[in-house]
Amino acid sequence: MDLELKDKVALVTAASRGLGYATAQALAREGARVAICARKEDALREATQRLLVETHADVLPVIADVTKQADVERLVKTTREHFGSIDMLFINAGGPRPGNFSNLRPADWESATQLTIQSVVWLAYAVVPIMREKGGGSILANTSVTVRMPLDGLTLSNSLRLAVVGMVKSLSVELGADNIRINAIAPGWTRTERVDEILRARAEHNVSTLEEEAAKITTDVPLRRMASSEEFGRIAAFLLSPIASYITGITLVVDGGMSKALM
Ligand code: NAD
């Protein structure tokens, strides 16, 4: 299916690897021009090089920390000046620190709020006026399956990501008349570099292999495996694309059936 993305402009944050990179890659493969950001120059340069080789797309790398308002404003301004506009925004950031209430400290809640909620607010305030001016656009916020099913040891994610879902629903109501769609995507276990790091640590600890550790995690997942990051990227690209033109205000769970909630 043609996602009708030829020459459209996408801004994908936190994209030097993982789900952000996979989304930028899927959009670029469909012909979009893509701005990507990350905090570290080396990682961003490498990701840009990979994207260019894999997709031959027009790629703009911008160093930016999405928890900093000034960085976000510069990122959006640079993207707009370079490409002329912004049609799609994929909001992504690193995950909040794992831990239970008892071993987290107030400062952890503060930094996780910056990372998980405040970054979405900064990006929305910077991009919505551009989309309004050009008569529409689409925004997709990355969250986690924890918005449907709290996971043990992920108190910050279980708590704070719900604010993003609430924000997405509220903005979808407010921005619909401006032809701006906004949705959330909620991945379950997806095989990114970060997940490989977790599997490697468990494999070392249990004297096993990465695949054995992945199999243990996915015993309760109906599809019995993790998603690949490419699978995730394709779904994110679809939701951002004009093909999903009547979808707004939803949270699409992409978890292989892991969460058992009915709604
Ligand atoms: P990852 O660690 O592989 O990638 C994170 C990316 O974000 C990197 O490119 C990193 O440089 C960038 N980044 C981190 N903080 C940033 C900041 N403040 N500003 C700019 N860039 C920043 O992680 P991932 O597995 O791709 O996950 C991405 C998000 O999805 C995380 O929030 C994670 O918690 C969430 N998630 C992942 C999974 C999974 O199984 N992979 C499942 C559910 C939710």
Side-chain angles (χ1 to χ4, degrees):
M1 188 194 290
D2 177 7
L3 294 187
E4 299 176 9
L5 293 180
K6 182 113 190 61
D7 295 330
K8 292 264 190 297
V9 176
L11 170 56
V12 180
T13 64
S16 62
R17 66 178 204 175
L19 303 181
Y21 181 86
T23 301
Q25 183 192 49
L27 293 165
R29 279 185 174 147
E30 292 290 327
R33 295 175 286 163
V34 184
I36 58 171
C37 90
R39 289 160 304 171
K40 296 183 191 127
E41 192 174 356
D42 286 1
L44 190 61
R45 195 181 318 113
E46 252 174 58
T48 305
Q49 205 48 42
R50 262 179 74 199
L51 264 185
L52 288 171
V53 170
E54 288 171 357
T55 68
H56 307 289
D58 200 348
V59 182
L60 172 72
V62 182
I63 296 168
D65 180 338
V66 292
T67 65
K68 298 189 172 137
Q69 186 181 14
D71 277 24
V72 167
E73 286 176 354
R74 180 177 43 77
L75 167 69
V76 170
K77 189 167 176 277
T78 309
T79 304
R80 189 202 199 170
E81 279 171 6
H82 185 84
F83 287 128
S85 193
I86 299 176
D87 301 293
M88 295 166 280
L89 167 66
F90 182 66
I91 302 178
N92 184 45
R97 153 194 291 247
N100 292 320
F101 177 75
S102 309
N103 49 37
L104 290 166
R105 292 190 308 210
D108 296 322
W109 288 83
E110 225 171 284
S111 52
T113 302
Q114 294 291 322
L115 190 63
T116 308
I117 304 173
Q118 198 64 66
S119 60
V120 183
V121 174
W122 300 143
L123 280 156
Y125 272 112
V127 167
V128 164
I130 295 172
M131 290 183 171
R132 271 202 170 118
E133 195 185 306
K134 78 164 309 204
S138 72
I139 300 172
L140 183 63
N142 191 27
T143 61
S144 165
V145 69
T146 56
V147 303
R148 282 293 148 77
M149 181 176 73
L151 295 178
D152 289 347
L154 294 182
T155 303
L156 291 172
S157 180
N158 296 339
S159 310
L160 301 175
R161 289 194 192 274
L162 270 305
V164 176
V165 170
M167 205 186 309
V168 161
K169 194 68 186 168
S170 302
L171 292 195
S172 72
V173 175
E174 192 176 331
L175 302 178
D178 294 310
N179 192 31
I180 299 172
R181 298 184 300 106
I182 175 161
N183 295 295
I185 188 164
W189 283 98
T190 311
R191 199 74 184 262
T192 61
E193 292 88 335
R194 170 86 191 108
V195 168
D196 272 355
E197 285 162 11
I198 296 169
L199 294 178
R200 202 166 296 117
R202 290 187 187 190
E204 270 167 28
H205 183 262
N206 297 328
V207 196
S208 63
T209 64
L210 267 66
E211 298 318 316
E212 282 167 340
E213 293 304 321
K216 283 185 208 165
I217 289 172
T218 52
T219 335
D220 291 334
V221 175
L223 290 182
R224 300 290 191 282
R225 64 178 179 83
M226 294 188 183
S228 68
S229 49
E230 287 79 7
E231 274 178 305
F232 174 91
R234 285 196 297 267
I235 296 164
F238 160 73
L239 279 175
L240 282 163
S241 79
I243 297 298
S245 51
Y246 205 58
I247 301 179
T248 194
I250 68 159
T251 295
L252 185 66
V253 179
V254 183
D255 69 347
M258 175 182 169
S259 59
K260 305 298 189 295
L262 289 174
M263 296 293 287

